[in-house]
Amino acid sequence: MPGAVQPLIDRARQRTTPCGSGELVWHVWGTAQPGVAPLVMLHGGSGSWTHWVRNIDALVAAGRELWLPDLPGFGASAPPPLGTDADALVEPLRAGLQALLGEQPVDLVGFSFGGLTAGLLLAAHPALAQRLVLVGAPAMGVVPQRQFELKAWRHLEDPEAQRAVHRHNLAALMLYDPQQIEGLALDLHVANMHQDRMPGRRLAGTDILARSLPRIPCPVHAIYGRYDAVYLDYMEPLATAYAAAAPDFRGMTLIEEAGHWVQFEQARAFNAALLAALGD
């Protein structure tokens, strides 16, 4: 793990819950406050809790207790017992949340694949959360075909050749500003990619999130980077799709000068937007 994240690791508390033949690892920051729901944040595909590395301190300073799992099959967590897509993560997450937090509803935030997972989780178990914030979530069914192309890297033996592909993929999908690729973003991405044990994910290319939202009664907010490669020129149809699907949709915030990994690329603006959504 890049040395820049070590101070966060040193301050975290770690909890585990069962997951398949191993454990689901939860990283916890902050202190529980009376009357304030735990804030559970699900990272994106091929990621880990480090997708939120630039948001943790600000959210803790705002008085929130954060629960950031490495999703099953990513980071330090074991793969789920069955399946290799978002639907396979629902039951390990449900069981983990109930074991750790009991019946207390949480505020749930999901980024990208984690947003899809959060939607499936609440569609099956709506009492788990009092509020849902979807960040760069796919599977809303408004894009006729994928708007970006990624390159394969696992067949490459040379680490530098692999890093070149990772740079390309960060530019193609994750970040709007190419100057942000080198350094922490690339180091985190490389580390996370090597811990991805969930091949063959396909649900992100469907409309399953749009079909799940009607079963979620709590307030739903959406936050996207203005230049998110998943949707590009489809932001207006995306907002319309949310309003049609979510019974209590509160609106979509677009963060300027940001791509898909909006909470990393424009952390200050994202943190403000997220806290506003959580206070709505």
Side-chain angles (χ1 to χ4, degrees), residues 24-25 35 38 40 60 72 91 118 127 136 170 198 205 225 238 243 274:
L24 198 167
V25 179
V40 177
V60 169
E91 287 309 311
L170 279 171
M198 295 284 283
L238 177 62
L274 177 59

Side-chain angles (χ1 to χ4, degrees), residues 39-43 52 55 59 66-69 109 270 274:
L39 181 55
V40 177
M41 305 177 75
L42 308 183
H43 64 77
W52 307 105
N55 316 111
L59 296 173
L66 309 185
W67 292 76
L68 276 57
V109 181
F270 171 84
L274 177 59

Side-chain angles (χ1 to χ4, degrees), residues 233-252:
D233 297 326
Y234 293 88
M235 289 299 177
E236 288 189 14
L238 177 62
T240 299
Y242 270 117
D248 191 4
F249 182 57
R250 301 294 179 91
M252 186 170 83

Side-chain angles (χ1 to χ4, degrees), residues 8-35:
L8 284 173
I9 295 172
D10 292 342
R11 294 198 301 274
R13 309 186 300 279
Q14 192 173 101
R15 303 286 298 276
T16 60
T17 54
C19 183
S21 60
E23 295 178 327
L24 198 167
V25 179
W26 302 76
H27 313 271
V28 189
W29 288 267
T31 304
Q33 303 291 332

Side-chain angles (χ1 to χ4, degrees), residues 198-224:
M198 295 284 283
R201 302 189 299 274
R202 297 290 183 267
L203 289 176
T206 73
D207 65 347
I208 193 169
L209 179 57
R211 291 186 282 111
S212 298
L213 286 172
R215 303 198 298 277
I216 300 176
C218 71
V220 175
H221 291 259
I223 303 174
Y224 285 77

Side-chain angles (χ1 to χ4, degrees), residues 39-218:
L39 181 55
V40 177
M41 305 177 75
L42 308 183
H43 64 77
S46 300
S48 73
W49 69 268
T50 61
H51 273 168
W52 307 105
V53 69
R54 288 185 170 174
N55 316 111
I56 293 168
D57 283 340
L59 296 173
V60 169
R64 302 305 298 250
E65 182 186 43
L66 309 185
W67 292 76
L68 276 57
D70 284 344
L71 291 174
F74 302 101
S77 291
L82 297 171
T84 61
D85 215 323
D87 53 350
L89 280 53
V90 167
E91 287 309 311
L93 286 169
R94 177 205 61 78
L97 285 170
Q98 291 187 332
L100 294 169
L101 300 171
E103 301 302 318
Q104 181 180 12
V106 305
D107 284 338
L108 184 60
V109 181
F111 166 54
S112 193
F113 175 82
L116 167 57
T117 301
L120 298 181
L121 176 64
L122 292 193
H125 306 284
L128 286 176
Q130 65 178 15
R131 186 180 287 105
L132 173 63
V133 183
L134 297 170
V135 181
M140 286 299 293
V142 301
V143 179
Q145 61 186 14
R146 195 163 76 163
Q147 304 297 293
F148 57 91
E149 291 298 330
L150 302 179
K151 293 182 179 181
W153 63 274
R154 293 186 185 275
H155 66 289
L156 300 171
E157 296 183 2
D158 178 16
E160 282 307 312
Q162 292 181 3
R163 286 179 72 86
V165 172
H166 293 315
R167 288 187 187 93
H168 170 272
N169 290 344
L170 279 171
L173 171 58
M174 297 291 277
L175 297 171
Y176 170 67
D177 180 4
Q179 294 186 14
Q180 293 216 35
I181 292 173
E182 205 66 42
L184 182 59
L186 182 59
D187 290 343
L188 291 176
H189 184 69
V190 171
N192 286 333
M193 290 296 298
H194 283 277
Q195 292 184 298
D196 179 353
R197 301 175 300 287
M198 295 284 283
R201 302 189 299 274
R202 297 290 183 267
L203 289 176
T206 73
D207 65 347
I208 193 169
L209 179 57
R211 291 186 282 111
S212 298
L213 286 172
R215 303 198 298 277
I216 300 176
C218 71

